[in-house]
């Protein structure tokens, strides 16, 4: 019997799936009846959808097509695919694999087509529906199908998850283009809440929150009253659901923090580590070494990880949902009785924010966008009385703040009221982000956080034990920077308002110092910082005059910033004269300032702050470009 012959291993024909074979012919321009004349077009599409979706192949081919091809020779195929997939997603029974395959295929199509980057709204309608005239029919069915499948407790869990991801991919890809408005026509909130509440779907809470945030921020700045999801967020009162929101956020935020710490270990110092460092410094080869430099900023260029997007829905919940605020501080109060438990969510958010604010402007515009969200969460928190009141109470949990860049804040091993860590985050922003290209809006938010905090402390007569001198130095450092960059900054949008609010913040601190500062020494240190910074404050007079000279007409009375600066300079000049030129040492100057204040109080401190400050949070604008790209990156 002769031996059998086999083809050489190297010449074996590689296996090509039927899914790929059919799509290769479709992309070549063949119609279903040309590919298989023995079956109808409906039978062809049914067979195609019965095959497992090769997402990698399909995504690769769609990505290769330029935009002109998609709107040209490939358009009939793409429109047909969307139509057939939507039909089967809507009508096929749950036990038919074609239903899931249709959703998967629509997700790949949506992701690849909307990532072309420069599509107009009408072009999206052309690709999905075949034209503007057909868009209403297609997208109305599209949204209805998403809502029905997402909220159906009888639907398979995996299918509901796939539909959720499809909706996220669509909203991230469409950005703020007009087709996104179709998803606002149906109230998807009950379906999203059902996903969060469900025992089997609760693990998808992160993605459900992301979709809710994307929907609520569609055209938010110019049509807030027209976006129903902004209202729906405030209407969620199911405490179990809101606790699940906190759980998912804490888990995700902790992972985001760990990504920073994996790059550079900034663990708080221990006694043994401090002794080891001291002994090491005594070595001959280390005697003249400088302080260790910062970790290279290039290592943080990809931070934060995409999961940091969880801050966007949290901002909306803190701002709009009073029940959520109660649940948020409930975690702080519950944890206060158990020192061994994990830090509650507010502590984790503050910790994450410290990393975002430390590295923001040294890495990328994306990092700045997330720093913006973090600061606005703080602002919404301190503007919510129930939240800031709990933040000012003693806490058994410490907050681990970023220590990856010099100069670092004083190490405070003992737990403090959480508001102290919030103010520390403001200091980190003020210290590490002073550049000619000033992020004015973020500095304004920072000043408002500090103002609201000081206002609440003095109104409630709370004397907060805090290293206040670090905050005064940071604020005066900002003012010194503004005064020294007059020529470069006078044309920067928002500089005048930033200068005004910074001066008013220092002035109210002067006016209310004896109410909220914890000790006479803290009051003395505040006045001493003003005296020490007298030259920087005086330089601001010229900057203010430059703004006034640019105005169309002379003001009838002093602006708030001029009044605040006049008040500060009056206080400063008085104590500067008392200190005199002969008192060179800081200790002797401080002694004179302390003696004067103890005898007469702060000299001529203004008392013009009687009204509650306005609410600034409603006017927040978030940078969405990075949010959309990160949301898309998280999807399959």
């Amino acid at each position: 019997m002769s031996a059998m012959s086999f083809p050489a291993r190297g010449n074996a024909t590689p296996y090509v799936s039927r899914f790929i074979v059919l799509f290769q012919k479709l992309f070549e321009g063949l119609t279903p009846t040309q590919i298989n004349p023995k079956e109808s077009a409906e039978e062809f599409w049914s067979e195609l959808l019965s095959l497992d979706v090769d997402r990698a192949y399909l995504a690769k081919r769609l990505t290769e097509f330029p935009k002109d091809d998609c709107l040209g020779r490939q358009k009939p195929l793409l429109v047909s695919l969307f139509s057939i997939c939507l039909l089967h997603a809507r009508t096929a029974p749950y036990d038919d694999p074609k239903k899931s395959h249709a959703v998967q295929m629509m997700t790949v199509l949506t992701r690849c087509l909307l990532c072309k980057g420069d599509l107009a709204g009408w072009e999206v309608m052309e690709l999905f529906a075949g034209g503007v005239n057909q868009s209403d029919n297609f997208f109305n069915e599209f949204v209805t199908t998403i809502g029905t499948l997402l909220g159906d407790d009888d639907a398979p869990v995996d299918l509901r998850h796939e539909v959720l991801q499809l909706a996220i991919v669509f909203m991230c890809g469409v950005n703020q283009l007009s087709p996104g408005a179709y998803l606002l026509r149906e109230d998807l909130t009950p379906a999203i809440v059902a996903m969060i509440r469900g025992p089997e779907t609760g693990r998808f809470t992160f993605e459900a929150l992301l979709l809710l945030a994307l929907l609520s921020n569609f055209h938010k700045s110019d049509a807030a009253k027209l976006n129903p999801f902004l209202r729906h967020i405030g209407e969620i009162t199911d405490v179990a659901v809101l606790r699940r929101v906190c759980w998912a956020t804490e888990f995700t935020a902790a992972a985001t923090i760990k990504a920073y710490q994996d790059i550079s270990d900034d663990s708080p110092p221990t006694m043994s580590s401090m002794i080891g460092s001291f002994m090491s410094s005594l070595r001959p080869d280390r005697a003249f070494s400088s302080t260790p430099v910062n970790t290279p900023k290039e290592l943080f260029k990809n931070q934060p990880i995409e999961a940091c997007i969880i801050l966007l829905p949290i901002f909306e919940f803190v701002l709009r949902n009073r029940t959520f605020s109660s649940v948020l501080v409930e975690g702080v109060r519950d944890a206060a009785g158990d020192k061994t438990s994990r830090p509650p969510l507010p502590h984790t958010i503050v910790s994450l924010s410290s990393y975002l604010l430390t590295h923001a402007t040294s890495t990328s515009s994306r990092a700045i966008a997330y720093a913006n969200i973090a600061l606005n969460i703080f602002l919404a928190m301190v503007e919510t009385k129930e939240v800031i009141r709990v933040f000012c109470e003693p806490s058994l949990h410490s907050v681990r703040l970023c220590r990856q860049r010099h100069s670092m804040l004083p190490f405070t091993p003992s737990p403090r009221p959480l508001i102290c860590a919030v103010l520390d985050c403001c200091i980190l922003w003020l210290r590490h982000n002073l550049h000619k290209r000033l992020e004015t809006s973020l500095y304004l938010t920072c000043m408002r956080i500090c103002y609201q905090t000081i206002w609440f402390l003095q109104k409630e007569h709370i004397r907060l034990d805090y290293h206040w001198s670090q905050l005064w130095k940071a604020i005066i450092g900002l003012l010194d920077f503004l005064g020294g960059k007059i020529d470069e900054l006078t044309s920067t949008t928002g500089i005048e308002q930033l200068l005004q609010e910074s001066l008013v913040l220092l002035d109210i601190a002067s006016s209310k110092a004896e109410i909220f500062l914890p000790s006479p020494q803290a009051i003395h240190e505040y006045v001493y910082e003003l005296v020490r910074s007298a030259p920087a404050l005086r330089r601001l007079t010229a900057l203010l005059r430059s703004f006034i000279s640019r105005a169309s007409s002379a003001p009838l009375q002093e602006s708030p910033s001029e009044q605040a600066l006049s008040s500060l300079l009056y206080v400063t000049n008085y104590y500067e004269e008392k200190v005199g030129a002969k008192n060179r040492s800081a200790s002797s100057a401080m002694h004179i300032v302390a003696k004067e204040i103890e005898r007469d109080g702060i000299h001529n401190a203004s008392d013009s702050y009687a009204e509650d400050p306005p609410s600034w949070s409603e006017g927040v604008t978030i940078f969405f470009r990075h949010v959309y790209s990160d949301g898309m990156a998280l999807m399959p």
Side-chain angles (χ1 to χ4, degrees):
M1 184 176 179
S2 61
M4 274 182 148
S5 64
F6 295 93
R9 182 179 299 272
N11 295 327
T13 301
Y15 170 75
V16 179
S17 71
R18 181 149 179 78
F19 180 91
I20 294 178
V21 170
L22 293 177
F23 261 103
Q24 284 176 336
K25 294 179 179 180
L26 288 170
F27 286 139
E28 289 172 2
L30 298 178
T31 65
T33 53
Q34 289 173 323
I35 296 172
N36 191 346
K38 296 182 179 181
E39 62 182 13
S40 65
E42 290 77 8
E43 291 172 327
F44 173 86
W45 293 121
S46 180
E47 179 197 359
L48 180 63
L49 286 174
S50 68
L51 302 172
D52 290 339
V53 179
D54 189 333
R55 302 176 76 125
Y57 166 78
L58 188 57
K60 180 176 182 297
R61 290 302 308 273
L62 291 169
T63 303
E64 290 172 350
F65 294 135
K67 171 185 168 182
D68 290 343
D69 275 2
C70 293
L71 289 167
R73 64 187 185 88
Q74 296 294 341
K75 177 187 167 184
L77 171 60
L78 297 175
V79 173
S80 295
L81 285 170
F82 273 117
S83 176
I84 295 299
C85 287
L86 182 58
L87 174 65
H88 283 79
R90 188 177 75 255
T91 61
Y94 285 137
D95 59 355
D96 187 342
K98 291 193 286 291
K99 196 177 193 76
S100 175
H101 293 166
V103 174
Q104 293 176 35
M105 198 177 296
M106 273 199 293
T107 302
V108 177
L109 288 165
T110 300
R111 181 192 189 101
C112 295
L113 295 178
L114 293 182
C115 283
K116 297 300 178 183
D118 57 349
L119 292 171
W122 68 269
E123 291 173 322
V124 173
M125 296 177 188
E126 290 282 339
L127 291 173
F128 279 69
V132 175
N133 294 333
Q134 295 79 37
S135 62
D136 276 358
N137 290 334
F138 174 85
F139 283 111
N140 286 336
E141 288 188 0
F142 179 72
V143 174
T144 300
T145 301
I146 288 176
T148 300
L149 297 179
L150 200 61
D152 189 351
D153 292 336
D154 294 329
V157 171
D158 290 344
L159 177 63
R160 295 174 72 188
H161 186 209
E162 290 165 355
V163 171
L164 174 62
Q165 292 178 330
L166 170 60
I168 292 172
V169 167
F170 180 80
M171 287 306 297
C172 287
V174 82
N175 201 311
Q176 298 285 312
L177 296 177
S178 57
Y182 283 105
L183 265 73
L184 272 64
R185 292 187 178 183
E186 180 162 331
D187 184 8
L188 296 177
T189 307
I192 294 172
V193 171
M195 289 286 289
I196 297 172
R197 184 191 294 114
E200 293 183 315
T201 56
R203 63 183 185 272
F204 309 131
T205 295
F206 169 84
E207 290 159 301
L209 289 173
L210 174 55
L211 176 58
L212 187 58
L214 294 171
L215 292 168
S216 67
N217 281 280
F218 181 78
H219 282 203
K220 178 182 178 181
S221 60
D222 58 354
K225 294 181 180 179
L226 301 179
N227 188 323
F229 289 95
L230 292 172
R231 184 181 72 257
H232 296 328
I233 285 177
E235 293 171 345
I236 299 173
T237 57
D238 188 327
V239 172
V241 168
L242 297 176
R243 285 174 179 161
R244 185 69 64 86
V245 170
C246 290
W247 164 80
T249 305
E250 200 283 329
F251 178 84
T252 307
T256 310
I257 295 169
K258 187 176 184 301
Y260 278 102
Q261 295 169 348
D262 287 344
I263 295 173
S264 176
D265 183 10
D266 62 342
S267 301
T270 62
M271 182 61 69
S272 59
S273 68
M274 288 189 290
I275 293 174
S277 178
F278 173 72
M279 297 302 292
S280 177
S281 68
L282 298 179
R283 288 167 38 195
D285 62 328
R286 296 287 300 278
F288 297 101
S289 66
S290 60
T291 303
V293 296
N294 293 339
T295 304
K297 64 182 182 180
E298 290 77 13
L299 296 178
F300 297 97
K301 66 181 180 180
N302 295 322
Q303 299 303 309
I305 60 175
E306 290 87 353
C308 194
I309 199 173
I310 193 65
L311 292 181
L312 181 58
I314 289 303
F315 167 68
E316 298 296 348
F317 272 98
V318 173
L319 180 62
R320 304 183 188 284
N321 191 302
R322 291 296 171 253
T323 305
F324 180 77
S325 297
S326 300
V327 172
L328 190 70
V329 297
E330 169 188 81
V332 175
R333 283 174 168 153
D334 290 347
D338 183 5
K339 195 173 183 179
T340 62
S341 64
R342 287 177 60 85
L345 175 59
H347 290 65
T348 306
I349 290 176
V350 174
S351 179
L352 170 58
S353 299
S354 73
Y355 289 87
L356 297 173
L357 298 171
T358 296
H359 294 290
T361 58
S362 64
T363 48
S364 65
S365 59
R366 176 175 170 273
I368 294 172
Y370 281 110
N372 182 27
I373 299 175
L375 283 172
N376 281 296
I377 288 176
F378 285 164
L379 182 58
M381 285 176 168
V382 298
E383 287 188 347
T384 305
K385 291 182 180 179
E386 183 177 8
V387 174
I388 191 172
R389 181 170 285 106
V390 175
F391 278 20
C392 292
E393 295 174 358
S395 172
L396 289 180
H397 283 279
S398 299
V399 176
R400 179 170 170 179
L401 298 174
C402 178
R403 299 177 65 81
Q404 293 174 331
R405 291 186 67 188
H406 297 294
S407 58
M408 293 180 286
L409 289 164
F411 179 64
T412 52
S414 301
R416 307 170 293 166
L418 188 55
I419 196 65
C420 296
V422 172
L423 292 173
D424 279 348
C425 287
C426 292
I427 294 175
L428 290 172
W429 170 262
L430 291 168
R431 283 185 176 180
H432 297 303
N433 299 283
L434 282 176
H435 306 288
K436 286 184 179 179
R437 187 177 178 180
L438 201 66
E439 297 294 335
T440 312
S441 63
L442 276 72
Y443 272 91
L444 269 170
T445 305
C446 186
M447 291 297 103
R448 289 166 178 177
I449 294 165
C450 296
Y451 189 98
Q452 289 281 1
T453 299
I454 290 175
W455 178 264
F456 179 82
L457 292 173
Q458 63 84 27
K459 187 174 183 178
E460 299 294 320
H461 289 78
I462 298 173
R463 296 186 182 276
L464 186 67
D465 189 8
Y466 178 68
H467 42 246
W468 287 103
S469 61
Q470 300 292 330
L471 180 61
W472 311 139
K473 290 176 183 177
I475 295 171
I476 293 172
L478 168 64
L479 291 172
D480 190 25
F481 178 83
L482 296 178
K485 303 289 183 181
I486 295 177
D487 295 335
E488 296 95 332
L489 294 174
T490 49
S491 60
T492 303
T493 303
I495 286 295
E496 183 176 7
Q497 188 176 6
L498 174 59
L499 178 59
Q500 171 182 316
E501 296 193 22
S502 301
L503 289 170
V504 168
L505 172 59
L506 284 180
D507 193 33
I508 190 176
S510 176
S511 172
K512 310 295 184 181
E514 295 175 342
I515 301 176
F516 73 92
L517 291 180
S519 64
Q521 181 181 356
I523 299 173
H524 305 158
E525 289 174 350
Y526 168 71
V527 175
Y528 173 72
E529 285 300 328
L530 291 181
V531 173
R532 191 175 65 86
S533 306
L537 293 174
R538 292 191 184 103
R539 276 199 301 272
L540 297 177
T541 304
L543 184 56
L544 287 177
R545 286 174 181 166
S546 69
F547 287 124
I548 295 172
S549 65
R550 288 162 45 198
S552 57
S553 59
L556 298 177
Q557 58 184 10
E558 280 189 321
S559 67
S561 54
E562 291 178 288
Q563 294 173 2
L565 182 57
S566 297
S567 176
L568 290 169
L569 288 176
Y570 195 93
V571 175
T572 300
N573 294 337
Y574 176 83
Y575 290 103
E576 194 176 35
E577 182 180 343
K578 295 295 182 181
V579 168
K582 295 181 179 180
N583 295 281
R584 302 287 183 181
S585 72
S587 59
S588 61
M590 176 70 82
H591 178 74
I592 294 173
V593 169
K595 185 177 179 181
E596 288 291 325
I597 294 175
E598 288 175 2
R599 187 182 64 212
D600 300 323
I602 299 180
H603 182 73
N604 201 40
S606 64
D607 193 20
S608 58
Y609 302 96
E611 298 181 358
D612 287 343
S615 175
W616 287 295
S617 295
E618 289 291 346
V620 169
T621 300
I622 304 295
F623 306 125
F624 292 109
R625 177 168 58 91
H626 303 291
V627 168
Y628 291 127
S629 62
D630 283 355
M632 189 71 87
L634 289 167
M635 294 299 102

